[in-house]
Amino acid sequence: MLDPRLHTAWLVNAASGAAAATVRAPMARPRGSASARGQLIVTDLEVVTVTHDTAILTWTTRRRDRSGTLRPAASDTEVRLTPADSPAAPVTRFYDPRRTAHHYAEIRGLEPGRRYRFTACSDGVRAVAGRTWVTRRPGTPEVTGVVRTAPPPPGRLLRTIALTNDLHWGEDRSGLIVAGLPPGLRHDDGHYPQVMTDALLHDLRRPERAVDHLVVAGDLTDSGTADQVAGIRARLDDWGIHGRDYLACRGNHDVARGREDHWGWAFHARRRLTCHEFGGLRLIGLDTTRHRGAGGTISATQLAHLREVLAAAPDRPTLIFGHHPVTRYAALSNPGGPGFVLDRASGHALHACYRTSPGVFLHHSGHTHRNRMSRPDSGRVEFLEVAAVKEYPGGYALLRIYERGYTVHFHRIAAAAALAWTDRTRRQYFGLQPDHALGSLVDRNHQVSHDFSGVIARR
């Protein structure tokens, strides 16, 4: 008999696919996206990030060649903007004359709590959303041309943590599901995980990001080989100190296929949690992997250790991270179904732990390669899935902790090579990758109240 949960998952995913297919059906082309040969097509507009004082937009420009095939076309980058309550026309707030096909505009100095009208364009042609439901649904900023900044939580900024996952160091083909299908995409030099990881780490050192700690929630490697583990460990060690500047947990791709646990030798042994404290803030990493298979579990010994750690200081502000998503919502809404995420027994056990530990405020996971703020099965802990570093939408979430709350903002990796690969991999899975992976504006940008007054700011 068909498991009703799996049946529900199929219905949810089929509906999502149908919606995406509807968006891609033939339609009248928007003004400003002319398709005649040689004319500039400015599309795939995405309002990726909106903070209290910044908005980040990306888009692409293409032209049709003699055969009618769309090719990247270099052009300038401009964003015009004005307060939404102003009768004045938008004025240029960002302009980059450098010619590129992959556009990234970061507009700073906005007022918190204000709505703005904007227009993004290249060579004078207005950018429009791509044929994806996630940016074409009613009310999205890509459709309305309006963004709203939200005031940050009260109090001082205490810590900034980058939440990342799914680097897949050593992978040579992106977009595979099983047995070489779909065909997948290759980078020109075959090293796109290295390109994306290097660009990520460079991004995190930008002064405006001001990252204190980096969390990598699994799948650091493609298959856990000695070479892959050594490569990613060396690259992360160039960026910072393990256990202080960056923390990591194991993902299913990090589980060795042979007897040697190379990942364990480089980082920490299987089925063990890690716990670090930084100025009154506690970060706990879980190993949710099985010896085989894509789904996740937590051993009884590890659960007992977690209960012990949380019980010792239940009110201490605590971020927990593990590779596999936890909630029933995550199980039913991801394309892999319930068998792809953490098993129900482990999920119930985590929820029970969190109900008696009011200091736990967020559980971060990866694995699904999407941005999704998941509803908890019970309680108030936020369960957050963050999209993959190694492919579209190609980025990381910044968790900023203030005295009276925290914000989450997803950032696309800004390096030119990273933007080019991100644009290429948006075509994965028969063009459905954006609808699966990008997430809504709220999934990518939101804030939550919480008491962090006992946390010490990093100097």
Side-chain angles (χ1 to χ4, degrees), residues 107-128:
I107 303 97
R108 304 177 195 164
L110 304 180
E111 294 182 37
R114 193 158 193 185
R115 296 170 69 247
Y116 289 88
R117 289 184 287 116
F118 72 91
T119 301
C121 51
S122 289
D123 287 356
V125 181
R126 182 173 65 88
V128 297

Side-chain angles (χ1 to χ4, degrees), residues 165-166 168 217 219 252 323-326 330-331 333-337 340-341 365-372 384-388 391-392 429 433 436-437:
N165 41 264
D166 296 279
H168 288 240
D219 280 4
N252 58 298
H323 187 60
H324 292 84
V326 175
S333 65
N334 86 88
F340 193 68
V341 301
S365 60
H367 193 50
T368 54
H369 294 205
R370 66 180 183 175
N371 289 310
R372 193 64 58 94
L384 180 69
E385 300 166 50
V386 177
E391 64 188 7
Y392 177 96
Y429 308 121
Q433 178 77 351
H436 164 71

Side-chain angles (χ1 to χ4, degrees), residues 218-243:
D219 280 4
L220 283 71
T221 68
D222 178 52
S223 53
T225 65
D227 288 346
Q228 291 173 5
V229 171
I232 190 59
R233 177 63 198 255
R235 185 64 191 89
L236 290 171
D237 284 347
D238 284 343
W239 186 85
I241 297 174
H242 181 231

Side-chain angles (χ1 to χ4, degrees), residues 273 300 302-312 349-350 352-353 357:
L273 66 77
Q302 192 175 183
L303 279 171
H305 189 190
L306 177 63
R307 294 187 187 102
E308 178 183 340
V309 170
L310 293 178
L350 286 181
C353 287
S357 304

